[in-house]
Amino acid sequence: MRPVTFLASGWLICLLAALPVTPALAASFNTVDVQRHADWHSLRLTLGEERHVRAIEQSSYTDSVLSVNATPGACGQRWLEIRVTLDEVQAESATWDRVPVDVMVDQDRVYTGEAAFITERGDDGFYVRLTMPDTGALLDGMRHGETLRLRIHRGEDDPWFMVFSLNGADQALARMNRLCETRPADNATPHDNAPAGKPTRASPTTQ
């Protein structure tokens, strides 16, 4: 499948060109309890007392990761996010734009929501945070589907299309929910090289 590195031309370069490059300052989470589910993984993220759980798909693109995230204590407030790896570490934490997004599972219902374009200081990722009016229904559809398609409206007549596999999503999302409701084992060992989509931004509170 075609990587999304072509996005670095044109609009994305214009969006980020004004940012100077600085040394990495973003916090990097430890990954524990990693388990593979076909094209997906489920895992925990830890940083001090902060805890999150995540289901990710990073097999469809070489430079992009789709993640579904939740926080213990607020497991019902799940959020979806895409991370695209950039060529440079970013110097500023900011939300650069909010645009409409359409999400479709297979050839079924189209879910319409909002995509926020976000960068984090000290992070080489470009984040697309999805806010959907019915996240629960979308996730349920993902658990029973084969392919997730996104159309992000960057500008007039300038959509950005992405396609992700849902092979393994059912098992990954089910385990993510279980992890969110249970405490991690005391002997859980961090996985330094575990697939986690560079979880430098796990909190949904960035504005």
Side-chain angles (χ1 to χ4, degrees):
M1 185 171 292
R2 184 182 180 186
V4 297
T5 47
F6 71 91
L7 295 170
S9 62
W11 73 277
L12 189 51
I13 283 182
C14 292
L15 188 66
L16 303 174
L19 294 180
V21 178
T22 63
L25 296 175
S28 184
F29 284 76
N30 296 312
T31 59
V32 298
D33 294 334
V34 180
Q35 186 171 315
R36 183 169 185 171
H37 316 274
D39 292 335
W40 284 69
H41 289 80
S42 59
L43 51 102
R44 298 182 194 268
L45 305 175
T46 65
L47 181 64
E49 295 300 316
E50 189 172 354
R51 300 285 188 271
H52 303 281
V53 294
R54 172 173 284 176
I56 66 168
E57 199 278 78
Q58 59 181 20
S59 66
S60 294
Y61 297 94
T62 60
D63 55 1
S64 299
V65 178
L66 170 68
S67 67
V68 181
N69 307 269
T71 302
C75 297
Q77 300 176 17
R78 295 160 293 182
W79 72 97
L80 288 83
E81 197 164 70
I82 299 167
R83 184 187 193 277
V84 181
T85 302
L86 302 174
D87 292 333
E88 296 178 336
V89 170
Q90 301 306 303
E92 184 175 349
S93 297
T95 298
W96 296 96
D97 203 357
R98 299 180 188 272
V99 301
V101 60
D102 301 316
V103 183
M104 182 170 65
V105 177
D106 298 333
Q107 300 298 322
D108 202 357
R109 171 183 170 184
V110 176
Y111 300 83
T112 298
E114 182 182 79
F117 296 159
I118 297 168
T119 57
E120 289 288 322
R121 184 184 182 194
D123 190 341
D124 66 349
F126 178 77
Y127 294 90
V128 181
R129 167 78 187 282
L130 304 183
T131 301
M132 310 302 296
D134 196 347
T135 302
L138 172 57
L139 294 179
D140 185 64
M142 290 171 60
R143 293 183 63 172
H144 298 90
E146 297 181 358
T147 305
L148 184 73
R149 295 177 170 86
L150 296 97
R151 178 173 59 192
I152 303 169
H153 300 270
R154 300 175 296 188
E156 187 175 356
D157 299 322
D158 185 24
W160 168 14
F161 294 98
M162 300 191 79
V163 180
F164 291 94
S165 168
L166 293 176
N167 182 22
D170 185 16
Q171 296 86 349
L173 290 170
R175 184 170 183 265
M176 183 197 77
N177 290 335
R178 292 195 300 272
L179 291 174
C180 196
E181 299 290 349
T182 59
R183 291 181 57 85
D186 292 336
N187 60 351
T189 303
H191 295 250
D192 292 335
N193 59 349
K198 289 189 177 180
T200 51
R201 181 180 178 273
S203 172
T205 59
T206 301
Q207 300 295 323

